[in-house]
Amino acid sequence: MRVSKLLAGKGRDVATISKERSVRDALALLKERGIGALVVTGAKPPLVGIFSERDAVRALATSGESALEEKVADLMTKDVVVCTEATQLTELMTMMTERRIRHVPVVEDAKLVGLISIGDVVKARLEELENDKKDLLDYVSGR
Ligand code: AMP
């Protein structure tokens, strides 16, 4: 299965935040949207970084409450791993496992067109396995 099919199922909406905003604002947005990461925007499209709840936890553990006033730009990961709509589910699983990340933005022609989370990957893989099981059962029972 390719990323294009995953996006067709989940939609293309991506929550973003400007790199100039505070960690407090980022956390409010994560809570409001019920998500774990934000794509960070800045001068250079389509993105300048990614900020996940893990970055917030790290900052809070290091600096305490004052971390809330720090800028997203200072805590985000700048070297972002991205995929395209043609990327295969298995490639995504490898990227996420090897890099220990749970979110991968989808970039097509220098435009942000979606974001795949590890939850989306697990859901899609389960669906694939269920379909394979059904096909095998149909095959052995001659249906
Ligand atoms: P996550 O597991 O996605 O919550 O993120 C764990 C760490 O990896 C955090 O420091 C994130 O900023 C970083 N991270 C998350 N997604 C990516 C990505 N696609 N490329 C690079 N770093 C990422």
Side-chain angles (χ1 to χ4, degrees), residues 1-132:
M1 190 191 296
R2 290 187 191 272
V3 164
S4 50
K5 192 164 174 204
L6 258 90
L7 288 180
K10 73 158 279 193
R12 291 167 178 274
D13 179 45
V14 185
T16 62
I17 190 163
S18 156
K19 74 183 179 71
E20 301 306 326
R21 302 279 292 276
S22 67
V23 171
R24 187 187 294 279
D25 291 342
L27 286 177
L29 193 52
L30 290 174
K31 178 179 170 240
E32 183 191 315
R33 301 284 297 257
I35 54 174
L38 299 166
V39 168
V40 185
T41 55
K44 193 169 164 259
L47 55 87
V48 295
I50 189 159
F51 181 85
S52 94
E53 53 199 356
R54 188 163 299 174
D55 300 313
V57 166
R58 224 180 263 143
L60 286 165
T62 307
S63 316
E65 209 180 316
S66 66
L68 294 173
E69 307 315 326
E70 287 181 43
K71 275 190 184 174
V72 165
D74 298 328
L75 298 167
M76 68 186 188
T77 302
K78 293 182 185 131
D79 179 20
V80 183
V81 177
V82 301
C83 68
T84 69
E85 297 205 46
T87 304
Q88 289 283 358
L89 188 59
T90 46
E91 289 175 61
L92 263 184
M93 293 194 290
T94 305
M95 284 166 153
M96 286 177 163
T97 309
E98 285 180 352
R99 299 287 298 256
R100 293 173 167 264
I101 54 177
R102 293 171 293 181
H103 304 87
V104 178
V106 188
V107 173
E108 205 64 55
D109 296 327
K111 286 199 190 76
L112 182 63
V113 296
L115 183 134
I116 306 293
S117 75
I118 202 161
D120 301 323
V121 170
V122 170
K123 184 166 172 277
R125 186 68 189 124
L126 272 179
E127 278 167 17
E128 267 188 349
L129 290 171
E130 281 301 320
N131 285 338
D132 289 352

